[in-house]
Amino acid sequence: MRKMIIAGNWKMNKTPSEAAALASAIVEKNPSPECEVVLCVPFVDLFEAKKATEGSKIKVGAENIHWAESGAFTGEISGAMLKEIGVDYVIIGHSERRQYFGETDETVNARIKAALNSGIKVILCVGELEAEREDGKTEEVVSRQVKAALEGVSTEDMANIVIAYEPVWAIGTGKTATSQQAEEVCALIRDLVKGLYNETVADDLTVQYGGSMNAKNAAELLAMKDIDGGLIGGASLKPDDFTVIINAAK
Ligand code: PEP
């Protein structure tokens, strides 16, 4: 069964005390969400987010993971470390990591395998740059990213993968893809997964849209056939707006 998932990406915002207050406010406003809700927060906020969501249906995610199990990787965080805190999801391949931190299709694939090996679900981000869309390369870019990211991922493990289509030109810019543009690429991703795996895996896959989703445009985007949720940046920091999006995802 395909799951509707609304995930917040807090990025590099909120200190631990601010995170505790924000997560508590979101829990309070959403005592029984009808979709899966995930708060993806900075590493130092994970403890507070776990504490604040305890006893609720809201899940907690990280924003990155290292591919090695342990070792000499100063400043990095492993799957086992995240798992022990009770992290349920991790965002991998966000365009900000690809753009500013040298993330490649290969490192995305390695991080995905590390997350799956640690029992952590993955929100894999893919999406084209504005220039790539203008050059008619959206399909080529997204297909390459999806195929490379899923290289060596088993059919069984696909139950633990969510794919978020995030056109880079729509992230944090206030420019949202039209519901038709978003639907077209989300459907393409599902079709690609059908070719790589099978129809059941494709039907069960949650494909999110991300890119300036907000309280005003969420209902229209989430009503599309192949859009099964959202990855939300800016609006996930505002409990009222985030709640409107959660309620639009019934
Ligand atoms: C994101 O960071 O994944 C994102 C979609 O951000 P925003 O909603 O702010 O565009």
Side-chain angles (χ1 to χ4, degrees), residues 64 67 93-108 111:
N64 194 20
W67 53 80
H94 193 280
S95 62
E96 286 151 17
R97 296 214 59 86
R98 294 182 194 255
Q99 204 175 341
Y100 307 129
F101 301 103
E103 190 80 271
T104 65
D105 287 337
E106 290 69 35
T107 57
V108 165
R111 290 184 209 278

Side-chain angles (χ1 to χ4, degrees), residues 76-92:
E76 294 296 320
I77 300 289
S78 74
M81 293 170 184
L82 297 175
K83 190 66 188 173
E84 195 169 310
I85 298 180
V87 165
D88 301 293
Y89 284 86
V90 61
I91 296 174
I92 297 179

Side-chain angles (χ1 to χ4, degrees), residues 179-200:
S179 47
Q180 281 75 20
Q181 284 172 324
E183 166 65 18
E184 208 174 280
V185 184
C186 290
L188 166 91
I189 291 170
R190 196 178 307 285
D191 207 46
L192 200 62
V193 167
K194 180 174 152 191
L196 291 171
Y197 295 90
N198 58 47
E199 193 154 8
T200 312

Side-chain angles (χ1 to χ4, degrees), residues 9 11 94 96 166 170-173 210-213 231-235:
N9 174 15
K11 312 196 188 201
H94 193 280
E96 286 151 17
E166 297 211 306
I171 297 179
T173 57
S212 299
M213 191 185 271
L231 181 56
I232 295 110

